[in-house]
PDB file of all heavy atoms in Angstrom:
ATOM      1  N   ALA A   1       0.919   8.704   5.044  1.00  0.00           N
ATOM      2  CA  ALA A   1       2.052   9.616   4.912  1.00  0.00           C
ATOM      3  C   ALA A   1       3.325   8.879   4.498  1.00  0.00           C
ATOM      4  O   ALA A   1       4.007   9.280   3.547  1.00  0.00           O
ATOM      5  CB  ALA A   1       2.274  10.373   6.214  1.00  0.00           C
ATOM      6  N   THR A   2       3.638   7.772   5.180  1.00  0.00           N
ATOM      7  CA  THR A   2       4.889   7.067   4.892  1.00  0.00           C
ATOM      8  C   THR A   2       4.722   5.554   4.753  1.00  0.00           C
ATOM      9  O   THR A   2       5.520   4.921   4.062  1.00  0.00           O
ATOM     10  CB  THR A   2       5.935   7.346   5.996  1.00  0.00           C
ATOM     11  OG1 THR A   2       5.390   6.944   7.267  1.00  0.00           O
ATOM     12  CG2 THR A   2       6.289   8.830   6.055  1.00  0.00           C
ATOM     13  N   ASP A   3       3.701   4.965   5.375  1.00  0.00           N
ATOM     14  CA  ASP A   3       3.565   3.507   5.374  1.00  0.00           C
ATOM     15  C   ASP A   3       3.095   2.952   4.033  1.00  0.00           C
ATOM     16  O   ASP A   3       3.769   2.141   3.396  1.00  0.00           O
ATOM     17  CB  ASP A   3       2.585   3.053   6.462  1.00  0.00           C
ATOM     18  CG  ASP A   3       3.121   3.244   7.862  1.00  0.00           C
ATOM     19  OD1 ASP A   3       4.351   3.284   8.012  1.00  0.00           O
ATOM     20  OD2 ASP A   3       2.313   3.355   8.800  1.00  0.00           O
ATOM     21  N   LEU A   4       1.906   3.357   3.624  1.00  0.00           N
ATOM     22  CA  LEU A   4       1.254   2.728   2.472  1.00  0.00           C
ATOM     23  C   LEU A   4       1.972   2.929   1.144  1.00  0.00           C
ATOM     24  O   LEU A   4       1.963   2.015   0.312  1.00  0.00           O
ATOM     25  CB  LEU A   4      -0.198   3.193   2.379  1.00  0.00           C
ATOM     26  CG  LEU A   4      -1.076   2.790   3.569  1.00  0.00           C
ATOM     27  CD1 LEU A   4      -2.487   3.365   3.411  1.00  0.00           C
ATOM     28  CD2 LEU A   4      -1.133   1.275   3.745  1.00  0.00           C
ATOM     29  N   PRO A   5       2.619   4.080   0.890  1.00  0.00           N
ATOM     30  CA  PRO A   5       3.326   4.205  -0.392  1.00  0.00           C
ATOM     31  C   PRO A   5       4.389   3.129  -0.610  1.00  0.00           C
ATOM     32  O   PRO A   5       4.664   2.732  -1.735  1.00  0.00           O
ATOM     33  CB  PRO A   5       3.957   5.601  -0.311  1.00  0.00           C
ATOM     34  CG  PRO A   5       3.064   6.358   0.595  1.00  0.00           C
ATOM     35  CD  PRO A   5       2.620   5.356   1.631  1.00  0.00           C
ATOM     36  N   GLU A   6       4.981   2.648   0.471  1.00  0.00           N
ATOM     37  CA  GLU A   6       5.978   1.581   0.371  1.00  0.00           C
ATOM     38  C   GLU A   6       5.352   0.212   0.585  1.00  0.00           C
ATOM     39  O   GLU A   6       5.662  -0.756  -0.118  1.00  0.00           O
ATOM     40  CB  GLU A   6       7.082   1.817   1.404  1.00  0.00           C
ATOM     41  CG  GLU A   6       8.192   0.781   1.404  1.00  0.00           C
ATOM     42  CD  GLU A   6       7.886  -0.450   2.245  1.00  0.00           C
ATOM     43  OE1 GLU A   6       7.148  -0.336   3.244  1.00  0.00           O
ATOM     44  OE2 GLU A   6       8.377  -1.548   1.883  1.00  0.00           O
ATOM     45  N   LEU A   7       4.438   0.126   1.545  1.00  0.00           N
ATOM     46  CA  LEU A   7       3.903  -1.161   1.984  1.00  0.00           C
ATOM     47  C   LEU A   7       2.978  -1.795   0.949  1.00  0.00           C
ATOM     48  O   LEU A   7       3.076  -2.996   0.653  1.00  0.00           O
ATOM     49  CB  LEU A   7       3.158  -0.966   3.308  1.00  0.00           C
ATOM     50  CG  LEU A   7       2.599  -2.200   3.988  1.00  0.00           C
ATOM     51  CD1 LEU A   7       3.724  -3.152   4.368  1.00  0.00           C
ATOM     52  CD2 LEU A   7       1.797  -1.795   5.224  1.00  0.00           C
ATOM     53  N   THR A   8       2.064  -1.015   0.393  1.00  0.00           N
ATOM     54  CA  THR A   8       1.075  -1.599  -0.518  1.00  0.00           C
ATOM     55  C   THR A   8       1.718  -2.213  -1.762  1.00  0.00           C
ATOM     56  O   THR A   8       1.434  -3.375  -2.097  1.00  0.00           O
ATOM     57  CB  THR A   8       0.009  -0.559  -0.905  1.00  0.00           C
ATOM     58  OG1 THR A   8      -0.535   0.031   0.275  1.00  0.00           O
ATOM     59  CG2 THR A   8      -1.111  -1.205  -1.697  1.00  0.00           C
ATOM     60  N   PRO A   9       2.600  -1.501  -2.467  1.00  0.00           N
ATOM     61  CA  PRO A   9       3.234  -2.155  -3.630  1.00  0.00           C
ATOM     62  C   PRO A   9       4.053  -3.387  -3.252  1.00  0.00           C
ATOM     63  O   PRO A   9       4.066  -4.382  -4.004  1.00  0.00           O
ATOM     64  CB  PRO A   9       4.132  -1.054  -4.211  1.00  0.00           C
ATOM     65  CG  PRO A   9       3.587   0.223  -3.692  1.00  0.00           C
ATOM     66  CD  PRO A   9       3.009  -0.093  -2.355  1.00  0.00           C
ATOM     67  N   ARG A  10       4.720  -3.319  -2.093  1.00  0.00           N
ATOM     68  CA  ARG A  10       5.557  -4.457  -1.699  1.00  0.00           C
ATOM     69  C   ARG A  10       4.711  -5.702  -1.465  1.00  0.00           C
ATOM     70  O   ARG A  10       5.030  -6.792  -1.960  1.00  0.00           O
ATOM     71  CB  ARG A  10       6.365  -4.095  -0.446  1.00  0.00           C
ATOM     72  CG  ARG A  10       7.158  -5.262   0.132  1.00  0.00           C
ATOM     73  CD  ARG A  10       8.268  -4.787   1.046  1.00  0.00           C
ATOM     74  NE  ARG A  10       7.803  -3.983   2.139  1.00  0.00           N
ATOM     75  CZ  ARG A  10       7.320  -4.473   3.293  1.00  0.00           C
ATOM     76  NH1 ARG A  10       7.211  -5.789   3.453  1.00  0.00           N
ATOM     77  NH2 ARG A  10       6.935  -3.659   4.255  1.00  0.00           N
ATOM     78  N   LEU A  11       3.623  -5.574  -0.715  1.00  0.00           N
ATOM     79  CA  LEU A  11       2.797  -6.743  -0.415  1.00  0.00           C
ATOM     80  C   LEU A  11       1.927  -7.146  -1.598  1.00  0.00           C
ATOM     81  O   LEU A  11       1.521  -8.309  -1.710  1.00  0.00           O
ATOM     82  CB  LEU A  11       1.925  -6.473   0.805  1.00  0.00           C
ATOM     83  CG  LEU A  11       2.667  -6.436   2.148  1.00  0.00           C
ATOM     84  CD1 LEU A  11       1.705  -6.163   3.288  1.00  0.00           C
ATOM     85  CD2 LEU A  11       3.405  -7.750   2.411  1.00  0.00           C
ATOM     86  N   ALA A  12       1.638  -6.195  -2.495  1.00  0.00           N
ATOM     87  CA  ALA A  12       0.798  -6.510  -3.656  1.00  0.00           C
ATOM     88  C   ALA A  12       1.448  -7.513  -4.599  1.00  0.00           C
ATOM     89  O   ALA A  12       0.760  -8.121  -5.423  1.00  0.00           O
ATOM     90  CB  ALA A  12       0.455  -5.231  -4.410  1.00  0.00           C
ATOM     91  N   ARG A  13       2.746  -7.688  -4.500  1.00  0.00           N
ATOM     92  CA  ARG A  13       3.419  -8.675  -5.351  1.00  0.00           C
ATOM     93  C   ARG A  13       3.073 -10.117  -4.946  1.00  0.00           C
ATOM     94  O   ARG A  13       3.205 -11.042  -5.760  1.00  0.00           O
ATOM     95  CB  ARG A  13       4.939  -8.488  -5.292  1.00  0.00           C
ATOM     96  CG  ARG A  13       5.407  -7.215  -5.981  1.00  0.00           C
ATOM     97  CD  ARG A  13       6.924  -7.108  -5.997  1.00  0.00           C
ATOM     98  NE  ARG A  13       7.341  -5.957  -6.784  1.00  0.00           N
ATOM     99  CZ  ARG A  13       7.516  -5.951  -8.100  1.00  0.00           C
ATOM    100  NH1 ARG A  13       7.317  -7.071  -8.779  1.00  0.00           N
ATOM    101  NH2 ARG A  13       7.888  -4.855  -8.738  1.00  0.00           N
ATOM    102  N   ASP A  14       2.632 -10.298  -3.698  1.00  0.00           N
ATOM    103  CA  ASP A  14       2.389 -11.654  -3.208  1.00  0.00           C
ATOM    104  C   ASP A  14       0.978 -11.894  -2.700  1.00  0.00           C
ATOM    105  O   ASP A  14       0.583 -13.042  -2.517  1.00  0.00           O
ATOM    106  CB  ASP A  14       3.376 -11.971  -2.082  1.00  0.00           C
ATOM    107  CG  ASP A  14       4.811 -12.047  -2.561  1.00  0.00           C
ATOM    108  OD1 ASP A  14       5.174 -13.079  -3.135  1.00  0.00           O
ATOM    109  OD2 ASP A  14       5.547 -11.053  -2.387  1.00  0.00           O
ATOM    110  N   PHE A  15       0.217 -10.816  -2.457  1.00  0.00           N
ATOM    111  CA  PHE A  15      -1.103 -10.961  -1.854  1.00  0.00           C
ATOM    112  C   PHE A  15      -2.112 -10.057  -2.573  1.00  0.00           C
ATOM    113  O   PHE A  15      -1.744  -9.030  -3.132  1.00  0.00           O
ATOM    114  CB  PHE A  15      -1.078 -10.556  -0.374  1.00  0.00           C
ATOM    115  CG  PHE A  15      -0.156 -11.352   0.488  1.00  0.00           C
ATOM    116  CD1 PHE A  15       1.162 -10.936   0.689  1.00  0.00           C
ATOM    117  CD2 PHE A  15      -0.580 -12.523   1.103  1.00  0.00           C
ATOM    118  CE1 PHE A  15       2.023 -11.655   1.494  1.00  0.00           C
ATOM    119  CE2 PHE A  15       0.280 -13.258   1.909  1.00  0.00           C
ATOM    120  CZ  PHE A  15       1.584 -12.833   2.108  1.00  0.00           C
ATOM    121  N   ASN A  16      -3.380 -10.452  -2.502  1.00  0.00           N
ATOM    122  CA  ASN A  16      -4.445  -9.511  -2.800  1.00  0.00           C
ATOM    123  C   ASN A  16      -4.527  -8.551  -1.603  1.00  0.00           C
ATOM    124  O   ASN A  16      -4.628  -9.006  -0.454  1.00  0.00           O
ATOM    125  CB  ASN A  16      -5.784 -10.230  -2.967  1.00  0.00           C
ATOM    126  CG  ASN A  16      -5.755 -11.256  -4.082  1.00  0.00           C
ATOM    127  OD1 ASN A  16      -5.159 -11.026  -5.131  1.00  0.00           O
ATOM    128  ND2 ASN A  16      -6.384 -12.399  -3.852  1.00  0.00           N
ATOM    129  N   VAL A  17      -4.460  -7.251  -1.845  1.00  0.00           N
ATOM    130  CA  VAL A  17      -4.408  -6.297  -0.744  1.00  0.00           C
ATOM    131  C   VAL A  17      -5.441  -5.196  -0.932  1.00  0.00           C
ATOM    132  O   VAL A  17      -5.853  -4.874  -2.055  1.00  0.00           O
ATOM    133  CB  VAL A  17      -3.003  -5.663  -0.584  1.00  0.00           C
ATOM    134  CG1 VAL A  17      -1.955  -6.726  -0.307  1.00  0.00           C
ATOM    135  CG2 VAL A  17      -2.636  -4.835  -1.805  1.00  0.00           C
ATOM    136  N   ILE A  18      -5.860  -4.592   0.190  1.00  0.00           N
ATOM    137  CA  ILE A  18      -6.784  -3.465   0.205  1.00  0.00           C
ATOM    138  C   ILE A  18      -6.202  -2.417   1.135  1.00  0.00           C
ATOM    139  O   ILE A  18      -5.819  -2.738   2.276  1.00  0.00           O
ATOM    140  CB  ILE A  18      -8.185  -3.868   0.707  1.00  0.00           C
ATOM    141  CG1 ILE A  18      -8.787  -4.972  -0.164  1.00  0.00           C
ATOM    142  CG2 ILE A  18      -9.125  -2.655   0.740  1.00  0.00           C
ATOM    143  CD1 ILE A  18      -8.567  -6.354   0.387  1.00  0.00           C
ATOM    144  N   ASP A  19      -6.104  -1.156   0.673  1.00  0.00           N
ATOM    145  CA  ASP A  19      -5.631  -0.101   1.567  1.00  0.00           C
ATOM    146  C   ASP A  19      -6.580   1.088   1.542  1.00  0.00           C
ATOM    147  O   ASP A  19      -7.519   1.156   0.738  1.00  0.00           O
ATOM    148  CB  ASP A  19      -4.178   0.312   1.255  1.00  0.00           C
ATOM    149  CG  ASP A  19      -4.003   1.261   0.077  1.00  0.00           C
ATOM    150  OD1 ASP A  19      -4.989   1.864  -0.381  1.00  0.00           O
ATOM    151  OD2 ASP A  19      -2.855   1.411  -0.400  1.00  0.00           O
ATOM    152  N   SER A  20      -6.339   2.040   2.454  1.00  0.00           N
ATOM    153  CA  SER A  20      -7.171   3.240   2.571  1.00  0.00           C
ATOM    154  C   SER A  20      -6.325   4.486   2.330  1.00  0.00           C
ATOM    155  O   SER A  20      -6.527   5.516   2.974  1.00  0.00           O
ATOM    156  CB  SER A  20      -7.835   3.296   3.954  1.00  0.00           C
ATOM    157  OG  SER A  20      -6.859   3.256   4.984  1.00  0.00           O
ATOM    158  N   PHE A  21      -5.382   4.400   1.400  1.00  0.00           N
ATOM    159  CA  PHE A  21      -4.511   5.527   1.081  1.00  0.00           C
ATOM    160  C   PHE A  21      -5.351   6.767   0.783  1.00  0.00           C
ATOM    161  O   PHE A  21      -6.221   6.749  -0.094  1.00  0.00           O
ATOM    162  CB  PHE A  21      -3.650   5.177  -0.133  1.00  0.00           C
ATOM    163  CG  PHE A  21      -2.658   6.245  -0.515  1.00  0.00           C
ATOM    164  CD1 PHE A  21      -1.474   6.399   0.191  1.00  0.00           C
ATOM    165  CD2 PHE A  21      -2.915   7.097  -1.582  1.00  0.00           C
ATOM    166  CE1 PHE A  21      -0.557   7.381  -0.170  1.00  0.00           C
ATOM    167  CE2 PHE A  21      -2.010   8.075  -1.953  1.00  0.00           C
ATOM    168  CZ  PHE A  21      -0.832   8.223  -1.233  1.00  0.00           C
ATOM    169  N   ASP A  22      -5.109   7.861   1.522  1.00  0.00           N
ATOM    170  CA  ASP A  22      -6.024   8.997   1.409  1.00  0.00           C
ATOM    171  C   ASP A  22      -5.352  10.328   1.088  1.00  0.00           C
ATOM    172  O   ASP A  22      -5.964  11.386   1.289  1.00  0.00           O
ATOM    173  CB  ASP A  22      -6.861   9.138   2.688  1.00  0.00           C
ATOM    174  CG  ASP A  22      -6.032   9.506   3.918  1.00  0.00           C
ATOM    175  OD1 ASP A  22      -4.793   9.608   3.812  1.00  0.00           O
ATOM    176  OD2 ASP A  22      -6.639   9.687   4.995  1.00  0.00           O
ATOM    177  N   THR A  23      -4.124  10.310   0.587  1.00  0.00           N
ATOM    178  CA  THR A  23      -3.509  11.552   0.113  1.00  0.00           C
ATOM    179  C   THR A  23      -3.983  11.759  -1.325  1.00  0.00           C
ATOM    180  O   THR A  23      -3.403  11.246  -2.288  1.00  0.00           O
ATOM    181  CB  THR A  23      -1.972  11.467   0.182  1.00  0.00           C
ATOM    182  OG1 THR A  23      -1.584  11.100   1.505  1.00  0.00           O
ATOM    183  CG2 THR A  23      -1.359  12.822  -0.161  1.00  0.00           C
ATOM    184  N   HIS A  24      -5.055  12.521  -1.489  1.00  0.00           N
ATOM    185  CA  HIS A  24      -5.753  12.618  -2.773  1.00  0.00           C
ATOM    186  C   HIS A  24      -4.811  12.986  -3.920  1.00  0.00           C
ATOM    187  O   HIS A  24      -4.890  12.406  -5.007  1.00  0.00           O
ATOM    188  CB  HIS A  24      -6.889  13.639  -2.677  1.00  0.00           C
ATOM    189  CG  HIS A  24      -8.024  13.201  -1.812  1.00  0.00           C
ATOM    190  ND1 HIS A  24      -9.176  12.646  -2.320  1.00  0.00           N
ATOM    191  CD2 HIS A  24      -8.182  13.229  -0.470  1.00  0.00           C
ATOM    192  CE1 HIS A  24      -9.995  12.347  -1.330  1.00  0.00           C
ATOM    193  NE2 HIS A  24      -9.423  12.695  -0.200  1.00  0.00           N
ATOM    194  N   ALA A  25      -3.917  13.932  -3.691  1.00  0.00           N
ATOM    195  CA  ALA A  25      -3.042  14.399  -4.778  1.00  0.00           C
ATOM    196  C   ALA A  25      -2.101  13.314  -5.275  1.00  0.00           C
ATOM    197  O   ALA A  25      -1.648  13.352  -6.431  1.00  0.00           O
ATOM    198  CB  ALA A  25      -2.233  15.612  -4.308  1.00  0.00           C
TER     199      ALA A  25
END
């Protein structure tokens, strides 16, 4: 809802990352 939309792009600049973002739309 609020974490991954901000968190994943931010950490992806420095790390290989895997998330379970599930808001299909």
Side-chain angles (χ1 to χ4, degrees):
T2 58
D3 290 336
L4 297 177
E6 180 275 330
L7 184 62
T8 308
R10 174 161 58 84
L11 288 180
R13 290 184 174 274
D14 294 281
F15 300 91
N16 301 321
V17 300
I18 301 96
D19 80 15
S20 57
F21 183 78
D22 66 357
T23 306
H24 291 262

